[in-house]
Amino acid sequence: DAGVIQSPRHEVTEMGQEVTLRCKPISGHNSLFWYRQTMMRGLELLIYFNNNVPIDDSGMPEDRFSAKMPNASFSTLKIQPSEPRDSAVYFCASSSGDSRLAGGVDSPLHFGNGTRLTVT
Amino acid sequence: KNEVEQSPQNLTAQEGEFITINCSYSVGISALHWLQQHPGGGIVSLFMLSSGKKKHGRLIATINIQEKHSSLHITASHPRDSAVYICAAQPMYSGGGADGLTFGKGTHLIIQP
């Protein structure tokens, strides 16, 4: 099992540029979560998908952020245009089971290694 | 809104010491997670529990639902245990799913040889 795979590991870009972060969940997992981690706010949920459908995107900070999951094995988080305050580590996590149960006592979360984004 | 507080924020100890990290939360939960974030940034799920106690190797996690409190213990600590330990609570009002997770700010643990 390769685990949750995120790419790139590091991304440095200039303000105004488009940034695309990628995630491949664990095969068979049908819930996928995007988190952002900053020193000030810790880990925050941005959006989660169940069976490729976005269930709750209330954590997405602004319209500059968008996420897609075109199939069960791939998701993207896009920021356009990027701003310096978007600098953070972005984590993808996946879990099996229903979205209401994902991460519950029988469906642990599996995290990717994260993408460290720096916007200058 | 669920508030999750961890203590201490930073902890430095000598190899071999018994370590305790505390987590308190403010609302009824369906599950509590303990995560470990390595110095390289990767996050690993250590425990998920809704009652009682769980043990894995030198790690022990306990939870007291009535007191809304959980602890993570490390016995015979080792420098490789140095990491950030994060607790996360799933409030019942969210339906119990991971979409409702609220994370603590983490405890930075350093174990010196």
Side-chain angles (χ1 to χ4, degrees):
Chain A
D1 184 353
V4 176
I5 299 173
Q6 288 187 248
S7 64
R9 284 284 277 141
H10 302 273
E11 176 79 33
V12 180
T13 190
E14 292 183 347
M15 183 174 65
Q17 296 297 307
E18 178 180 295
V19 174
T20 300
L21 311 181
R22 297 172 176 80
C23 175
K24 179 177 167 30
I26 291 175
S27 177
H29 283 188
N30 56 2
S31 289
L32 183 140
F33 304 82
W34 281 100
Y35 293 97
R36 179 172 67 176
Q37 185 180 39
T38 61
M39 290 290 290
M40 291 295 293
R41 300 169 70 96
L43 274 163
E44 301 173 288
L45 178 67
L46 298 176
I47 185 171
Y48 84 95
F49 294 84
N50 183 246
N51 293 324
N52 312 339
V53 176
I55 303 299
D56 183 357
D57 65 354
S58 59
M60 297 284 262
E62 337 178 351
D63 291 345
R64 297 184 297 105
F65 285 68
S66 63
K68 293 182 179 179
M69 192 164 185
N71 57 62
S73 60
F74 183 64
S75 177
T76 60
L77 177 68
K78 187 175 293 187
I79 309 172
Q80 166 63 22
S82 58
E83 297 183 5
R85 60 194 166 118
D86 302 329
S87 298
V89 181
Y90 291 81
F91 286 97
C92 175
S94 71
S95 178
S96 59
D98 178 83
S99 60
R100 292 287 117 182
L101 298 173
V105 290
D106 296 319
S107 304
L109 282 173
H110 297 262
F111 285 83
N113 285 328
T115 294
R116 182 174 296 277
L117 173 64
T118 303
V119 183
T120 60
Chain B
K1 186 179 186 305
N2 192 23
E3 303 289 340
V4 178
E5 300 287 338
Q6 284 187 239
S7 64
Q9 281 188 304
N10 298 284
L11 177 58
T12 300
Q14 295 297 312
E15 183 174 356
E17 285 189 40
F18 181 82
I19 303 299
T20 296
I21 299 171
N22 297 299
C23 175
S24 60
Y25 50 92
S26 59
V27 302
I29 65 168
S30 59
L32 185 126
H33 301 248
W34 280 102
L35 310 172
Q36 180 191 54
Q37 186 166 25
H38 300 295
I43 296 177
V44 174
S45 178
L46 295 176
F47 294 105
M48 202 164 32
L49 64 166
S50 58
S51 65
K53 173 176 156 179
K54 285 191 176 181
K55 185 175 188 292
H56 182 70
R58 295 180 295 106
L59 301 177
I60 303 166
T62 63
I63 189 167
N64 185 317
I65 297 295
Q66 287 73 29
E67 295 185 3
K68 295 186 171 63
H69 181 267
S70 176
S71 292
L72 177 68
H73 305 285
I74 305 174
T75 61
S77 59
H78 190 276
R80 64 175 175 266
D81 298 325
S82 299
V84 177
Y85 293 84
I86 302 168
C87 75
Q90 280 175 218
M92 284 183 177
Y93 63 72
S94 75
D99 55 299
L101 276 177
T102 301
F103 294 87
K105 292 288 179 64
T107 295
H108 293 246
L109 173 66
I110 297 173
I111 304 297
Q112 296 177 334

